[in-house]
Amino acid sequence: MFASKDDFKEQYLAEFTKTMAKPFEECTKRERYEVLAKMICSRAAKLHTETRLRHISQQRKQVYYFSMEFLIGRLLNNYLINLGIEETVRRGLKELGEDLDQLLPMEPDPGLGNGGLGRLAACFLDSMAYLDLAGMGMGARYRFGLFKQTIEDGRQTEEPDPWLVNGYPWEIRNSDSAVSVHFGGKVERTYEDGKINFEHTAYQTVLAVPYDVPIVGYDGKTVNMLRLWQAEPAEEKIDLAAFNNGKYSEAVRERNEIEAITAILYPDDSTPAGKELRLKQEYFLTAAGIASIIDNYKHQYGADNWRAFSDRTAIHTNDTHPALCVPELMRILLDQENLEWDDAWDIVTKTISFTNHTIMPEALEKWPIDLIQRLLPRVYMIIEEIDRRYRENIDRSQADWQDRTRSSAILWDGQVRMANLSIIGSHSVNGVASIHTNILKHDVFQTFYQESPDKFNNKTNGVSHRRFLLEANPALGRLITTSIGPEWISNAYHLENLLPYANDDLFLNQLEKIKYVQKCRLAEYIKEHNGITVDPASIFDVQVKRIHAYKRQLLNMIKIIYLYNRLKKEPDLDLHPHTFLFSGKAAQSYEFAKEVIRLIHAMADVVNHDAQIGGKLKVVFLENLSVSIGQLIYPAADISEQISTAGKEASGTGNMKFMFNGALTLGTMDGANVEIHQLVGDDNMFLFGLTSSQVTDLRGNYRSLDICEHSSALMEIIDQLVNGFFGSDKDAFWSIHDALIRYNDEYFVLADFEDYMRAFFEADQAYTDRRRWNKMALTNIAMAGHFSSDRTISQYAKEIWKIK
Ligand code: 26V
């Protein structure tokens, strides 16, 4: 790419006069970043063309990964690393008097996702490119990502995130590949040669314009694309009469209505008010994606070659959000390509696959039939027919056939159940960790599992170890490479070669030193952003994730209040100093989660200002969690809090990011924690709490008040929530108090408290033996390779997408 550092400098400086019309010296850091990013982007675009031509000539099976969310994080540093030019660029910039590390934060971090599901999609893109799969991401180009979180007076407030205001150097608008998407209208039946045709008329046309973002794989050999669709009016329509009368807003009404489709990312708690727009978004992504797939396919394989379609194409749906892929692909094959139902259905089900990401019932999507019918009349007819045929095939000789219909039919109770549509329309259904897949098979989707056991499979999540270890923690990366060579970067299982270093004092000391330096870096960030001084020699105990009742940030808080109370009574308690770090957003309308954030701040206020505590405890909340803040936090953690109620967290992926950075898990037997435990054993993590089957068994017989009545410490804490401990009456935490006592503690916080404290104190003790701790950290890093998304994607490719 650049023959030398001087070659880079020459090309870089030349760009300024070409694109900025002013020399490098007169440009701001942001402009310098922008020129560099655009330059790398255009090189990546060229590499993409080469990849694409190669993949076409090899007739590669093309994978389309449909997701409403992609949390890609910042790209510049990642791509410099993947292209192997980071050092060249760094040194070139230095000679120009510029520091690469100061340009990197100029990049916006697009918040096009809520949390784990969106970040997983981005890790998958990285791994698909690394593994040289012909994989394209299909997503939406939201003008506003997830809200920007600020804390005012201890409460979360939300502000818009206009991440595109200064432009985005990584995207390429591809107007000529735009497609039309139709909403509303009516369907007319016409008869021709004894065949019924369905004609959709009087619809509104929305133009879908793709913006392509290059995905540079490690080693730079493969560059794929993430295609983000934007909604635009099909033709420039403006009501001139209204405009001339001064009614500007009326004149641009339709334009606004259409642009609203990709204006904003939905938070994961969307209320019914915004539902119609969310459904429009889902269909918009689906229809635009499918139309472009069909265009491409015909271009490559001819207009009439449908038999080969499912051998050449895989469509993966990330949760049910793109579930309309099933009826939409049917619609195209039936109405546009004139295939028979059975042939079309065979193609659709062989092409589409589906991942479920949660068993929380409130997140299982359902749409009112009349809404779908009005917005997507033809698509609805097809859903109805899929449902009719499915019901017809239910075996009525079985005594429980009615129960089976009740759980598995698509249309029920005036609603379209999207998970059922996805399962029926896919050849593969997977969960995201072994325990989660088992719950899908034996509980949530058991009717389907009994019907078609072979459809169900597990694909335990993974993360990009290149982003979350190599890029986020370069010092650790260097230590690993000098010890065992660089193969771990392309094959994370090589990290196991670190195991023999468990008795190497020099190595262990270096590991400890790197952790300390990362903690200092985070401590500086905290000082700057929160004005709080934290001691890098304290244990950094970290919980970073969306704020949700089932994730139990509250359990962590109760622990902190407990420790505080004990230290007040026993100032000499043998406890290593702790810094408790929290970060994460609460959905805008999720009042309980917002109260948890307020509680964290109220407690921080008490603890951080109590001279008697003498810095033994500190509580810090880092605002506005993003991929880039995550990259700062994971390397600095000693303890990774993964404390969800067993059975509730499908997998978790933060747990893996911490593990790659040598943090030890303090967690329940939930999600991928179970598999972490299989890999590192009891000696290298701190497990506690009820198992998921114990949770199920306890549910009917649980009385949270009983637990409090047996624990004066808990009773005291419950009381403190509302007795003025946190200030005046209006500051009391009644909703939290009530959730725990009045509503019987749905997530078993109090039931798990005692065992949680036991595990916590074990971890505290373990930390004092620094050598032992470092060994444990090393074992975690060494065994983390299994959680590289390279492993996950290899399994998807082989077992679901059937790519040789
Ligand atoms: C739900 C909804 C409901 C409608 C509005 C938009 C929206 C957006 C997101 C969600 C939540 C989807 C489920 C999810 O994020 N699951 C997480 O997926 C991770 C990746 O597999 C997994 O590690 C986490 O355990 C799981 O909670």
Side-chain angles (χ1 to χ4, degrees):
M1 183 146 307
F2 304 117
S4 65
K5 157 189 83 198
D6 292 328
D7 181 35
F8 160 71
K9 272 164 55 183
E10 196 179 307
Q11 294 193 40
Y12 182 51
L13 291 178
E15 289 292 322
F16 283 86
T17 35
K18 267 196 277 177
T19 61
M20 288 282 159
K22 55 182 172 180
F24 171 79
E25 292 74 21
E26 285 175 28
C27 285
T28 62
K29 294 222 182 277
R30 208 199 57 74
E31 289 169 322
R32 290 172 182 188
Y33 154 76
E34 193 178 302
V35 172
L36 182 55
K38 280 213 169 110
M39 186 174 157
I40 303 298
C41 181
S42 71
R43 304 293 194 287
K46 184 163 165 270
L47 290 172
H48 168 71
T49 315
E50 289 169 23
T51 300
R52 176 115 188 91
L53 292 174
R54 181 166 55 82
H55 286 167
I56 288 175
S57 76
Q58 297 168 337
Q59 300 218 338
R60 292 290 201 84
K61 186 165 184 176
Q62 178 73 43
V63 179
Y64 297 96
Y65 194 86
F66 277 72
S67 178
M68 290 290 282
E69 307 189 5
F70 285 93
L71 270 175
I72 55 180
R74 290 185 179 135
L75 300 180
L76 180 57
N77 200 25
N78 197 254
Y79 288 178
L80 294 177
I81 294 171
N82 287 358
L83 294 166
I85 55 174
E86 194 204 358
E87 263 319 294
T88 309
V89 169
R90 184 179 292 281
R91 286 191 287 129
L93 285 173
K94 196 166 177 202
E95 286 183 14
L96 296 171
E98 187 51 89
D99 179 357
L100 176 61
D101 290 331
Q102 290 188 20
L103 298 191
L104 299 177
M106 298 294 126
E107 176 163 344
D109 184 344
L112 309 185
N114 275 285
L117 170 140
R119 181 54 230 178
L120 184 78
C123 286
F124 282 4
L125 295 181
D126 175 76
S127 288
M128 283 196 271
Y130 168 66
L131 294 169
D132 190 32
L133 300 178
M136 178 183 249
M138 287 282 186
R141 183 179 184 267
Y142 306 105
R143 191 146 60 85
F144 296 96
L146 190 62
F147 63 84
K148 177 167 175 276
Q149 177 194 53
T150 54
I151 303 295
E152 275 164 38
D153 229 3
R155 290 168 198 268
Q156 168 176 297
T157 54
E158 302 89 17
E159 281 164 36
D161 164 36
W163 67 287
L164 283 166
V165 276
N166 291 315
Y168 186 57
W170 298 105
E171 63 183 10
I172 300 158
R173 183 182 162 97
N174 200 340
S175 316
D176 287 1
S177 298
V179 297
S180 296
V181 177
H182 299 159
F183 290 99
K186 57 182 196 289
V187 179
E188 279 161 22
R189 288 177 173 76
T190 56
Y191 299 87
E192 201 182 284
D193 305 332
K195 202 182 165 227
I196 315 177
N197 291 318
F198 296 91
E199 205 187 336
H200 186 192
T201 58
Y203 45 72
Q204 179 190 40
T205 299
V206 173
L207 197 66
V209 182
Y211 283 71
D212 292 340
V213 177
I215 302 297
V216 178
Y218 181 69
D219 251 4
K221 284 198 275 287
T222 305
V223 176
N224 286 329
M225 283 291 180
L226 165 59
R227 179 157 273 197
L228 299 175
W229 295 95
Q230 170 165 279
E232 296 180 12
E235 49 205 294
E236 276 302 337
K237 255 194 270 174
I238 186 154
D239 184 342
L240 271 184
F243 198 83
N244 290 335
N245 284 328
K247 295 179 189 154
Y248 307 112
S249 58
E250 236 170 83
V252 293
R253 196 185 53 80
E254 189 177 356
R255 162 174 279 274
N256 288 340
E257 191 187 304
I258 286 171
E259 286 175 348
I261 296 174
T262 48
I264 184 155
L265 165 81
Y266 265 74
D268 64 9
D269 71 328
S270 54
T271 46
K275 279 261 154 125
E276 178 164 337
L277 191 57
R278 169 78 184 182
L279 180 62
K280 274 191 174 174
Q281 289 186 334
E282 293 186 355
Y283 182 66
F284 174 77
L285 166 64
T286 298
I290 298 280
S292 75
I293 291 172
I294 296 287
D295 282 354
N296 265 320
Y297 182 79
K298 286 183 163 178
H299 187 73
Q300 203 178 331
Y301 297 105
D304 213 16
N305 193 11
W306 298 110
R307 294 218 164 275
F309 187 77
S310 63
D311 292 332
R312 305 263 183 252
T313 318
I315 292 176
H316 199 88
T317 52
N318 197 25
D319 217 297
T320 56
H321 316 152
L324 291 171
C325 278
V326 172
E328 177 64 8
L329 185 54
M330 280 302 282
R331 188 184 69 82
I332 301 281
L333 295 177
L334 294 171
D335 297 359
Q336 191 180 299
E337 305 301 329
N338 297 310
L339 267 66
E340 296 296 330
W341 181 280
D342 289 340
D343 295 332
W345 186 244
D346 189 53
I347 292 170
V348 167
T349 49
K350 281 186 173 145
T351 303
I352 297 178
S353 46
F354 161 59
T355 301
N356 168 280
H357 292 269
T358 181
I359 61 153
M360 299 298 287
E362 61 269 32
L364 292 181
E365 286 188 296
K366 294 183 183 90
W367 296 109
I369 287 179
D370 49 2
L371 176 61
I372 297 209
Q373 215 166 8
R374 177 162 54 79
L375 220 54
L376 311 167
R378 178 59 184 142
V379 168
Y380 178 71
M381 289 170 73
I382 293 170
I383 295 174
E384 218 171 34
E385 181 63 10
I386 296 171
D387 184 59
R388 191 187 67 75
R389 287 172 184 245
Y390 174 76
R391 287 168 187 253
E392 206 173 66
N393 277 326
I394 288 178
D395 181 0
R396 297 198 178 196
S397 69
Q398 292 189 34
D400 62 346
W401 72 270
Q402 280 171 313
D403 291 338
R404 305 174 76 82
T405 309
R406 185 175 315 122
S407 65
S408 65
I410 299 168
L411 303 179
W412 197 263
D413 219 4
Q415 301 200 297
V416 182
R417 300 190 291 194
M418 303 307 270
N420 293 2
L421 175 61
S422 282
I423 296 172
I424 292 166
S426 298
H427 63 88
S428 166
V429 176
N430 75 282
V432 291
S434 153
I435 180 179
H436 170 235
T437 301
N438 284 330
I439 294 173
L440 295 182
K441 286 180 182 173
H442 303 296
D443 182 2
V444 188
F445 299 138
Q446 64 160 314
T447 303
F448 291 114
Y449 178 61
Q450 287 160 2
E451 238 165 48
S452 354
D454 297 342
K455 235 186 216 190
F456 285 77
N457 62 93
N458 175 246
K459 295 288 167 281
T460 298
N461 282 166
V463 302
S464 169
H465 67 290
R466 287 175 290 271
R467 176 174 289 269
F468 291 103
L469 200 175
L470 181 65
E471 181 189 337
N473 200 342
L476 181 56
R478 276 191 296 274
L479 174 64
I480 296 171
T481 299
T482 27
S483 310
I484 61 167
E487 287 80 16
W488 65 276
I489 301 170
S490 34
N491 180 352
Y493 279 112
H494 277 258
L495 288 169
E496 282 183 29
N497 294 331
L498 288 170
L499 285 175
Y501 290 85
N503 295 310
D504 181 328
D505 284 329
L506 185 66
F507 184 97
L508 294 178
N509 289 338
Q510 281 174 303
L511 194 60
E512 181 174 333
K513 214 162 121 198
I514 288 167
K515 181 63 78 181
Y516 187 79
V517 171
Q518 299 293 11
K519 287 162 79 175
C520 291
R521 194 166 71 120
L522 182 57
E524 264 171 50
Y525 182 92
I526 292 169
K527 182 81 210 166
E528 190 185 329
H529 289 81
N530 300 55
I532 301 172
T533 307
V534 303
D535 178 6
S538 63
I539 296 177
F540 279 22
D541 178 319
V542 189
Q543 191 171 15
V544 177
K545 49 183 83 247
R546 285 300 288 255
I547 314 292
H548 203 294
Y550 83 80
K551 296 178 187 279
R552 299 199 297 191
Q553 280 89 358
L554 183 54
L555 176 58
N556 196 346
M557 281 313 304
I558 291 180
K559 171 187 78 187
I560 297 168
I561 303 174
Y562 171 86
L563 292 172
Y564 174 83
N565 291 343
R566 259 194 85 176
L567 278 169
K568 295 296 277 187
K569 287 171 210 153
E570 305 167 50
D572 297 327
L573 179 73
D574 180 23
L575 182 76
H576 194 89
H578 274 73
T579 300
F580 297 101
L581 286 162
F582 293 87
S583 191
K585 295 180 184 180
Q588 269 143 302
S589 60
Y590 191 173
E591 287 306 328
F592 178 83
K594 291 179 133 180
E595 278 297 275
V596 171
I597 291 182
R598 190 169 74 85
L599 178 61
I600 295 171
H601 285 88
M603 192 58 201
D605 221 32
V606 172
V607 170
N608 299 346
H609 298 119
D610 189 327
Q612 235 186 315
I613 292 300
K616 270 205 154 179
L617 305 178
K618 283 276 165 77
V619 179
V620 175
F621 185 95
L622 289 165
E623 256 174 31
N624 203 34
L625 179 62
S626 60
V627 176
S628 26
I629 294 181
Q631 288 179 218
L632 181 70
I633 298 175
Y634 299 119
D638 295 307
I639 290 280
S640 154
E641 297 268 358
Q642 307 300 336
I643 59 177
S644 50
T645 314
K648 297 289 179 197
E649 188 71 272
S651 161
T653 44
N655 44 4
M656 304 168 186
K657 296 163 196 168
F658 282 110
M659 186 181 178
F660 271 114
N661 284 281
L664 306 190
T665 306
L666 170 54
T668 48
M669 274 292 207
D670 201 15
N673 300 352
V674 177
E675 287 154 83
I676 294 179
H677 177 242
Q678 278 167 6
L679 286 163
V680 304
D682 285 331
D683 293 346
N684 294 294
M685 71 188 293
F686 305 97
L687 274 181
F688 72 93
L690 299 165
T691 62
S692 102
S693 54
Q694 286 170 335
V695 166
T696 313
D697 293 345
L698 185 59
R699 183 134 337 251
N701 318 314
Y702 180 57
R703 240 187 105 236
S704 60
L705 194 56
D706 288 350
I707 308 245
C708 291
E709 280 165 353
H710 286 96
S711 159
S712 55
L714 268 182
M715 205 52 133
E716 182 184 5
I717 294 165
I718 298 292
D719 223 41
Q720 281 168 316
L721 291 171
V722 293
N723 72 359
F725 175 79
F726 291 107
S728 65
D729 276 0
K730 71 172 189 353
D731 298 320
F733 291 93
W734 274 107
S735 61
I736 292 179
H737 176 278
D738 288 354
L740 291 172
I741 303 300
R742 211 162 142 208
Y743 302 111
N744 204 27
D745 185 17
E746 189 182 349
Y747 296 102
F748 299 94
V749 171
L750 302 178
D752 272 346
F753 176 71
E754 193 182 325
D755 203 32
Y756 180 44
M757 290 315 302
R758 178 208 38 87
F760 170 83
F761 282 116
E762 260 174 40
D764 176 65
Q765 273 308 303
Y767 193 83
T768 53
D769 182 349
R770 302 302 299 129
R771 191 163 186 278
R772 178 178 159 216
W773 184 277
N774 294 332
K775 242 168 127 164
M776 293 168 81
L778 168 75
T779 308
N780 272 271
I781 300 168
M783 301 310 289
H786 182 68
F787 297 114
S788 166
S789 45
D790 294 348
R791 186 268 309 151
T792 313
I793 283 299
S794 309
Q795 295 176 329
Y796 273 83
K798 194 162 158 244
E799 296 160 23
I800 300 180
W801 304 329
K802 306 277 177 346
I803 294 171
K804 274 134 228 145

